[in-house]
Amino acid sequence: MSNQLILSIPAPILTYQEYARLQGLTVQCVASAVFAGKLPVYTPPCSPNENPARVKKYINMIALYAEAAKAANIDMALTSDKQV
């Protein structure tokens, strides 16, 4: 019998502001952590005429959960209940 840990992630990505609010940080601290490579970021696709550096970026919560699982030596498998 294998043990399972089931996580429900309410939002796969968060704005810097929402992540800062949930963690009790300033938005500047979050932006600094992103710049330093300490937080994973999701950048949505942009049109060819847009500058990718100017596209709004989000904190990638899925990647954070995966990093935390790896650090805890937990094998993580992602599944979806939603029918697309």
Side-chain angles (χ1 to χ4, degrees):
M1 180 176 163
S2 67
N3 293 327
Q4 280 188 320
L5 171 66
I6 299 173
L7 300 174
S8 175
I9 302 172
I13 59 174
L14 295 176
T15 63
Y16 287 19
Q17 293 80 7
E18 184 63 7
Y19 183 81
R21 185 187 71 77
L22 290 170
Q23 296 299 320
L25 301 169
T26 66
V27 175
Q28 181 57 41
C29 284
V30 173
S32 294
V34 167
F35 183 75
K38 294 180 180 180
L39 283 174
V41 174
Y42 169 74
T43 304
C46 61
S47 65
N49 60 341
E50 282 184 287
N51 178 351
R54 297 188 56 89
V55 173
K56 185 174 183 176
K57 295 167 182 53
Y58 299 87
I59 303 300
N60 185 335
M61 297 305 294
I62 303 295
L64 272 179
Y65 277 89
E67 287 177 26
K70 184 177 179 182
N73 292 320
I74 297 171
D75 289 331
M76 185 172 163
L78 300 175
T79 61
S80 174
D81 290 348
K82 293 188 178 187
Q83 301 297 320
V84 181

